[in-house]
Amino acid sequence: MVTEMFGLPGAVAVVTGAGRGIGAASAIALAEAGADVVISARTAEQLAEVAGKIEALGRRAVVVAADLSDVDAVAALAHTAAERFGRLDVVVNNVGGTLPNTFLTTTPDFLEDAFHFNVTTAHALTGAAVPLMLEGGGGSVVNIASVMGRLAGRGFLAYGTAKAALTHYTRLAATDLAPRIRVNAIDVGSVHTSALDVVARDEKIRTSMEQATPLRRLGHPDEVAAAVLFLASRASGYTTGSVLRVDGGIGAPNLDFNLPDL
């Protein structure tokens, strides 16, 4: 049956930024499909809550509280999966993000930090995971990118540049790692997570964002998690190097910081 292709029985996954939002929803979705999951983020308390939900589904969870801007720490997650569960099949590079900034206050260091947190960390974990995936016959890497990697809006210079790099990294890595390891990305739009809550709590701003989105609403983390599951599973077995849009249909930024002309 086609629905069986979405299952991940006996698989092992690593999900970064898994304490809340898209990362937490993705880890739980993979567990629902049958995977054991290594989850990592900064906050142990948040991870413990997610682990409890995974274990309630009858799957195993390993919690690693760490600063994932540290490339050694993020790469070590792959080895933790192999040591604790004996294999590694799926990597979800979800950790990332960068605060909005004006052009003149986007220093070279700020730009480099954005690239490091969104691209270098993904490469560190993927690079550590590849040999382990090959031992098991192959695997799937899912990178969480953003619509701002393809849209232009003021205030998003560092973030958008980093996410654009991540999407093209996805295409290049997919070419390098085919045919045994698939690499895909998700262009995420405005999803109502705690990271967006600072603006979504403002009814005027939220309504403006919703009206600027063809589907007239913000997304839900579970909707991104469903796409993660598709790309992680055999359901997408003939898909690699792709960037899947989960963005409500937007063709222009739906959040305006009202930055003035210089």
Side-chain angles (χ1 to χ4, degrees), residues 20-48:
R20 58 185 182 177
I22 291 169
S26 297
I28 293 166
L30 296 173
E32 288 177 347
D36 297 320
V37 192
V38 174
I39 55 175
S40 187
R42 286 180 181 270
T43 307
E45 292 80 6
Q46 292 177 341
L47 291 170

Side-chain angles (χ1 to χ4, degrees), residues 173-243:
T175 302
D176 285 340
L177 300 177
R180 295 174 65 191
I181 296 174
R182 298 183 299 108
V183 186
N184 294 287
I186 301 174
D187 257 4
V188 176
S190 297
V191 175
H192 198 161
T193 65
S194 57
L196 191 66
D197 205 40
V198 65
V199 294
R201 281 199 302 261
D202 185 308
E203 185 175 353
K204 183 178 179 180
I205 295 176
R206 186 181 69 251
T207 299
S208 175
M209 293 176 68
E210 291 170 343
Q211 290 304 308
T213 303
L215 289 184
R216 299 292 188 267
R217 64 178 178 86
L218 302 180
H220 190 278
D222 284 346
E223 293 173 309
V224 182
V228 169
L229 177 57
F230 166 68
L231 293 174
S233 69
R234 291 187 300 115
S236 63
Y238 201 51
T239 304
T240 196
S242 293
V243 181

Side-chain angles (χ1 to χ4, degrees), residues 8-89:
L8 293 169
V12 173
V14 171
V15 181
T16 62
R20 58 185 182 177
I22 291 169
S26 297
I28 293 166
L30 296 173
E32 288 177 347
D36 297 320
V37 192
V38 174
I39 55 175
S40 187
R42 286 180 181 270
T43 307
E45 292 80 6
Q46 292 177 341
L47 291 170
E49 183 177 347
V50 176
K53 294 178 180 179
I54 290 171
E55 290 164 354
L57 294 166
R59 306 312 310 170
R60 296 174 292 173
V62 171
V63 168
V64 181
D67 175 3
L68 296 181
S69 64
D70 181 335
V71 292
D72 291 332
V74 74
L77 298 175
H79 301 291
T80 297
E83 290 166 3
R84 297 293 297 272
F85 297 137
R87 60 185 297 125
L88 179 55
D89 306 281

Side-chain angles (χ1 to χ4, degrees), residues 17 28-29 35 53 83 94 98 135 137 140 148 172 197 231 237 253-254 261:
I28 293 166
K53 294 178 180 179
E83 290 166 3
N94 170 66
T98 304
E135 289 177 7
S140 174
M148 294 315 301
L172 296 169
D197 205 40
L231 293 174
N254 61 358
D261 294 348

Side-chain angles (χ1 to χ4, degrees), residues 13 28 110 118 149 158:
I28 293 166
F110 189 93
N118 290 275

Side-chain angles (χ1 to χ4, degrees), residues 101-169:
N101 213 346
T102 67
F103 183 93
L104 290 179
T105 53
T106 299
T107 64
D109 284 346
F110 189 93
L111 186 61
E112 288 188 5
D113 286 346
F115 187 91
H116 176 93
F117 196 42
N118 290 275
V119 185
T120 305
T121 56
H123 180 61
L125 176 53
T126 303
V130 164
L132 302 171
M133 288 180 167
L134 291 175
E135 289 177 7
S140 174
V141 177
V142 183
N143 296 321
I144 304 301
S146 168
V147 295
M148 294 315 301
R150 60 180 170 82
L151 304 178
R154 284 186 174 178
F156 292 101
L157 179 71
Y159 179 72
T161 298
K163 290 302 189 183
L166 182 62
T167 57
H168 199 50
Y169 171 90

